[in-house]
Amino acid sequence: MSVEPSRRLTRQEAAWSLTEAANEPFFNLVQRYVFAPYFAGTLAATAAEGAAVWGFALGAAGLAIAILAPVLGSIADSGSRLKPWLAGAGMVGFVASVSLWFAAPGVSLLPVAIAVFAGSVATELMNQFGNAFLPVAARREKMGLLSGLSFGISQLVGMGVLLVVLAVSSSAPAFLADIPSSIDRLAGPLAAASMLIFLTPFLLVAKDRVSDSRASVTQGLADLKATLAEAWKDRNMRMFLIARMVSADGMAIVFSFGAVLAAASFGWKADTLARFGLVITTFGVIGGFAGSWIDGRIGAKRLSLLGLLLMAFGSASVLLTDAERLFGFPTGIALGVPLASPQEWGFMASGAVIAAGAAFAIAGMRTMMAMLAPPEKLAAYFGLYSFVGKATAFVGPTLVGLIATATGSVRPGIGVAILFLLLSSAALFAVRSPIRQVD
């Protein structure tokens, strides 16, 4: 008599579902909404210098990830133990995040930029090794459930830390009251605490796989190269991978510099930027759910194109909105208290459109890859899909850094993002719609 698998999650599966939440606060608090504007607008001597150094730090992190990801991905695929790598990345991310508390006004930008660089690389590697652990930690029939559960928990935690920033901003504890820029600097320790809280349970209960010496890192890299060569010969897949690569650059610019531009344009501080982050995250989640419904009606390719064009439209609206203008038209209303002018609400609405568009594009492209890839090589092609998304993601932030250095403003960098998104749309338009259905 066969035994029906338990419907309850094991301790290891439940703990794995928390691992993605260890990363999200770093993205929300440090890379996007709180610390990034503080770095560019307060730590740096000028906003242009701050935006440039921030762009170079994220660009360097993207380059390091592009180099390390395929190597470490091959380690993950080679049968080697995963827990030491996951714990090591978590430790580096924790230390880098904690160190951001010491980024007080007047300190040198270089050590802070190095900490941001180290934290950005570490959190991406945490995500990579956490994902590689899924087939080790979970039963096959639970993988889909756990993947969705992990994403949902990470978004809730990402919103939760933004709510903490809002709460502390409105009523700062006594021990923070006399510390300069304490709310902005708190972003690092909050991100570190999230890593400790949400990664530690899995490290404590996870059973690592036994090292398998039969596979090798060299073989893993050779397999990635062979998959890329095979995919590149197929025009349809080639255009799709180009679209994926270019869109990743556009998204990197928009999400890395949107809050920096908001702070420079409207003088928003941590509390208002946290509200901005909550709006973006909320519409990203809504876009994810809506995208699955829309996909069933218009198809993955149209959903992806819709998402990219929404992002380009939202980015153009952001580009044309500043302290005096709304979508390029003067409002005649001066800035006062935060969120009291139509131009600020227009910027907020544009961010919501970008977030929903990104959710559409990400969901649609993932489905397209599942349909375009050879059924017998899905795992290898999804590895390629992940690699392509990281391979040139350093280009966008680096370009914005160079542009900010040359022009004294981060705003023209948003124009580069629009160009990337439109080029990605053109490449995706050239892809023949996949007709094979995923089982």
Side-chain angles (χ1 to χ4, degrees):
M1 180 182 295
S2 62
V3 179
E4 183 180 348
S6 173
R7 294 183 179 181
R8 297 181 61 182
L9 297 180
T10 65
R11 285 198 308 164
Q12 184 169 247
E13 289 169 340
W16 184 90
S17 70
L18 302 177
T19 55
E20 192 171 349
N23 301 334
E24 192 67 22
F26 185 88
F27 298 142
N28 273 3
L29 295 177
V30 177
Q31 287 190 344
R32 296 171 185 163
Y33 305 121
V34 178
F35 195 83
Y38 168 69
F39 182 96
T42 301
L43 285 183
T46 65
E49 179 193 15
V53 177
W54 187 257
F56 295 146
L58 294 187
L63 179 59
I65 292 165
I67 295 171
L68 290 173
V71 177
L72 297 180
S74 296
I75 290 174
D77 293 337
S78 69
S80 302
R81 294 180 62 207
L82 295 171
K83 191 184 287 189
W85 291 97
L86 180 59
M91 185 177 299
V92 173
F94 178 85
V95 173
S97 298
V98 168
S99 70
L100 296 180
W101 170 255
F102 302 100
V107 304
S108 171
L109 286 184
L110 181 59
V112 183
I114 291 173
V116 171
F117 163 83
S120 298
V121 174
T123 49
E124 182 60 44
L125 297 184
M126 284 168 57
N127 185 57
Q128 182 171 348
F129 282 106
N131 288 339
F133 235 124
L134 177 58
V136 179
R139 292 163 288 176
R140 180 178 295 275
E141 67 271 15
K142 296 294 184 183
M143 288 185 187
L145 170 65
L146 285 172
S147 181
L149 182 62
S150 177
F151 174 78
I153 292 173
S154 73
Q155 295 306 299
L156 289 175
V157 171
M159 296 173 73
V161 292
L162 290 170
L163 288 171
V164 170
V165 171
L166 268 178
V168 175
S169 299
S170 61
S171 181
F175 70 93
L176 293 177
D178 297 326
I179 300 177
S181 304
S182 59
I183 307 303
D184 304 286
R185 293 159 59 189
L186 193 60
L190 282 174
S194 299
M195 294 177 191
L196 189 65
I197 293 169
F198 295 105
L199 186 60
T200 302
F202 182 70
L203 292 176
L204 290 176
V205 305
K207 295 179 180 179
D208 207 347
R209 62 191 179 191
V210 178
S211 181
D212 183 358
S213 59
R214 290 175 299 175
S216 70
V217 174
T218 302
Q219 184 60 48
L221 291 173
D223 290 344
L224 175 64
K225 182 178 179 181
T227 303
L228 177 60
E230 177 185 84
W232 205 253
K233 293 177 182 178
D234 183 327
R235 177 190 174 279
N236 219 31
M237 181 63 75
R238 182 169 66 247
M239 297 306 295
F240 174 75
L241 292 176
I242 290 172
R244 158 73 169 159
M245 185 183 301
V246 179
S247 69
D249 277 304
M251 291 184 190
I253 292 174
V254 172
F255 286 108
S256 298
F257 292 93
V260 172
L261 181 59
S265 299
F266 309 116
W268 287 354
K269 301 301 181 185
D271 56 343
T272 310
L273 289 165
R275 290 186 176 91
F276 179 60
L278 284 167
V279 169
I280 299 300
T281 306
T282 299
F283 274 84
V285 173
I286 292 172
F289 285 113
S292 62
W293 181 82
I294 297 172
D295 188 341
R297 284 149 181 80
I298 66 174
K301 177 180 175 179
R302 290 191 179 96
L303 178 66
S304 302
L305 284 170
L306 175 62
L308 291 171
L309 293 175
L310 280 175
M311 288 192 72
F313 173 78
S315 299
S317 301
V318 163
L319 185 64
L320 296 172
T321 300
D322 54 29
E324 299 176 349
R325 302 178 302 159
L326 173 62
F327 309 145
F329 299 98
T331 64
I333 301 175
L335 297 178
V337 297
L339 300 179
S341 67
Q343 50 267 41
E344 290 173 280
W345 282 107
F347 193 100
M348 190 83 75
S350 299
V353 170
I354 291 171
F360 289 175
I362 291 169
M365 284 188 172
R366 188 183 297 123
T367 303
M368 286 186 70
M369 172 54 84
M371 292 180 172
L372 288 167
E376 70 280 6
K377 296 182 178 180
L378 273 179
Y381 271 75
F382 266 103
L384 178 62
Y385 177 82
S386 178
F387 167 71
V388 166
K390 298 180 179 74
T392 64
F394 66 92
V395 173
T398 303
L399 277 177
V400 175
L402 293 171
I403 290 170
T405 301
T407 66
S409 172
V410 71
R411 189 174 295 276
I414 303 299
V416 176
I418 296 170
L419 176 62
F420 280 142
L421 293 168
L422 292 177
L423 288 174
S424 176
S425 301
L428 194 63
F429 186 79
V431 177
R432 294 188 300 275
S433 295
I435 57 174
R436 177 168 49 82
Q437 299 299 313
V438 183
D439 292 334

